[in-house]
Amino acid sequence: MAAAAATPTVFLLMVNGQIESAQGLEEGISQITSKNRDAQQALVWNFPIDITFKSTNPSGWPQIVVSVYGPDLFGNDVVRGYGAVHVPFTPGSHRRTIPMFVPESTSKLQKITSWLMGRHPEFTDPKVVAQGEGREVITVRSQGFVTISFNVVTKDMKKLGYDVSPSDMHSVSLTDGIHNH
Amino acid sequence: AELHLIGQIVGASGFPSSSLFCKWGIHTGSAWKLLSGLREGQTQVDHPQLGDVAYWSHPIDVHFATKGLQGWPKLHVQVWHQDPFGRRELYGYGFCHVPCSPGWHALACVTWQPLGSWQERLSQLFVGGGPQLLNSDLIYTGADRYRLQTVAAGTVHLELGVLLRHFARYGVEC
């Protein structure tokens, strides 16, 4: 997982806990990374994701929610961006670059106060980023992107009747349908 | 037959200002029934730090069941601008059909803005706030459009994943 930041500052992530085996962990925290001075201006985490889901209904398809934290001018750890994207549902290799956004206060006075105190608005539950409800009252500032690469394998989606790619669709006569299903 | 729409409204570009939010909705014919998910919503207001593309990343996860092909779902959007005083003005209307083939699609939905008389345009230059549609059905229907005069506005970017179920059973090729 690599990130390309918009501004040339140091981006940090909290390092906390050791992930011994990432088999099926639903959340994780990466290492703290910074930009290389002479190479391209990218931040690299290279964080492994390895998880299996099962369901009977594609509604509520999993989304990966990314929260990026880093130090501000005074050294406090503040949130630098939230972003979310659905895990692709077609089997194969995919790469997604997702924009990151930071919640912002609407009043100028509150912006100055939070900059001085080091306490910026953040979501109490990052899952808000994955939901569509209640977003109309939020004001955000979008900055930066995170790139995630996925390799997806599905099992039995065709057997349950789901078509995930145009090659899955084939014309079947009505009598065939009655015999097979 | 069932259709799942899983994706997001990524953002918008090409508008005069980038402090934008979007009201969206999905309109279907009478043969379609919403099984789960929200069929309309409003994104957050975004102020982009760099560049002039507003990003919302608003997730869409809807599940429809249908008895027929008529009234295939249409996703309509209204792009609004919020200025530093908190006033909101309309920047564009647009719609696009949900893709008919399963898989992941990146869509660019073009938008238009109603155009008023030259007096209205002059006052819009100074004060803001142009004409808006009284009936928002006009965004996705074709009737009575001949009375409207519009100007082109920016583009809304969407990434939609379409999952179909049992369409092949009924002989539908898509």
Side-chain angles (χ1 to χ4, degrees):
Chain A
M1 198 165 98
T7 51
T9 55
V10 172
F11 274 48
L12 294 177
L13 268 156
M14 283 191 300
V15 62
N16 193 359
Q18 312 294 318
I19 301 179
E20 294 290 329
S21 81
Q23 290 289 338
L25 282 174
E26 280 198 358
E27 7 179 281
I29 301 179
S30 81
Q31 74 274 21
I32 302 178
T33 186
S34 17
K35 278 193 205 164
N36 192 330
R37 237 160 301 172
D38 18 86
Q40 80 269 31
Q41 296 269 290
L43 295 153
V44 174
W45 286 301
N46 198 212
F47 190 78
I49 306 166
D50 196 336
I51 190 162
T52 309
F53 294 103
K54 66 174 187 191
S55 175
T56 51
N57 191 350
S59 281
W61 194 267
Q63 294 183 53
I64 178 164
V65 176
V66 178
S67 318
V68 177
Y69 297 90
D72 67 354
L73 196 61
F74 303 110
N76 306 310
D77 252 342
V78 294
V79 65
R80 290 302 197 131
Y82 295 103
V85 71
H86 287 277
V87 171
F89 51 75
T90 44
S93 257
H94 308 272
R95 207 181 179 91
R96 298 275 189 265
T97 301
I98 58 179
M100 298 268 111
F101 59 83
V102 178
E104 219 182 33
S105 7
T106 32
S107 78
K108 288 234 163 32
L109 177 65
Q110 196 152 19
K111 276 191 208 164
I112 297 171
T113 318
S114 61
W115 180 78
L116 281 170
M117 305 290 292
R119 278 200 286 267
H120 295 257
E122 42 183 90
F123 293 128
T124 47
D125 186 1
K127 294 200 194 113
V128 169
V129 181
Q131 288 164 0
E133 312 164 40
R135 304 245 278 200
E136 55 260 15
V137 296
I138 302 174
T139 309
V140 299
R141 186 178 70 240
S142 57
Q143 54 187 34
F145 299 90
V146 168
T147 306
I148 309 174
S149 49
F150 296 95
N151 291 304
V152 176
V153 174
T154 59
K155 177 177 187 280
D156 290 341
M157 284 204 77
K158 252 202 215 168
K159 216 192 258 188
L160 287 170
Y162 288 102
D163 300 304
V164 299
S165 68
S167 55
D168 284 352
M169 305 294 299
H170 52 276
S171 55
V172 176
S173 75
L174 208 55
T175 47
D176 264 8
I178 292 174
H179 287 149
N180 289 342
H181 301 284
Chain B
E2 294 168 34
L3 182 146
H4 286 268
L5 192 61
I6 294 168
Q8 54 178 259
I9 306 177
V10 178
S13 63
F15 289 95
S17 160
S18 305
S19 302
L20 304 168
F21 68 94
C22 173
K23 293 192 202 183
W24 62 275
I26 300 180
H27 174 81
T28 57
S30 49
W32 296 76
K33 195 170 83 144
L34 180 71
L35 292 181
S36 80
L38 299 165
R39 77 185 310 156
E40 59 184 16
Q42 188 174 319
T43 69
Q44 62 225 13
V45 182
D46 184 40
H47 303 298
Q49 171 105 335
L50 292 152
D52 55 356
V53 183
Y55 288 105
W56 299 308
S57 299
H58 190 93
I60 298 178
D61 197 333
V62 280
H63 183 190
F64 286 106
T66 181
K67 298 186 294 242
L69 287 178
Q70 277 85 0
W72 193 274
K74 292 186 260 217
L75 201 149
H76 58 268
V77 292
Q78 298 180 24
V79 180
W80 291 76
H81 164 65
Q82 180 164 317
D83 66 6
F85 302 111
R87 293 179 309 169
R88 297 173 158 188
E89 63 177 310
L90 178 80
Y91 263 17
Y93 295 113
F95 96 96
C96 58
H97 275 102
V98 165
C100 303
S101 59
W104 188 81
H105 306 267
L107 301 170
C109 179
V110 292
T111 60
W112 47 269
Q113 198 180 8
L115 203 62
S117 60
W118 70 266
Q119 296 99 323
E120 284 170 348
R121 268 180 267 165
L122 192 64
S123 82
Q124 190 177 352
L125 195 66
F126 291 107
V127 183
Q132 299 171 17
L133 286 176
L134 269 176
N135 184 7
S136 55
D137 284 357
L138 207 62
I139 306 173
Y140 47 84
T141 54
D144 282 345
R145 278 218 185 177
Y146 65 91
R147 295 185 220 183
L148 204 54
Q149 195 173 5
T150 67
V151 65
T155 318
V156 175
H157 303 279
L158 305 145
E159 285 175 0
L160 295 177
V162 174
L163 243 99
L164 301 176
R165 188 177 193 213
H166 296 325
F167 271 77
R169 201 195 266 182
Y170 298 100
V172 174
E173 297 136 14
C174 48

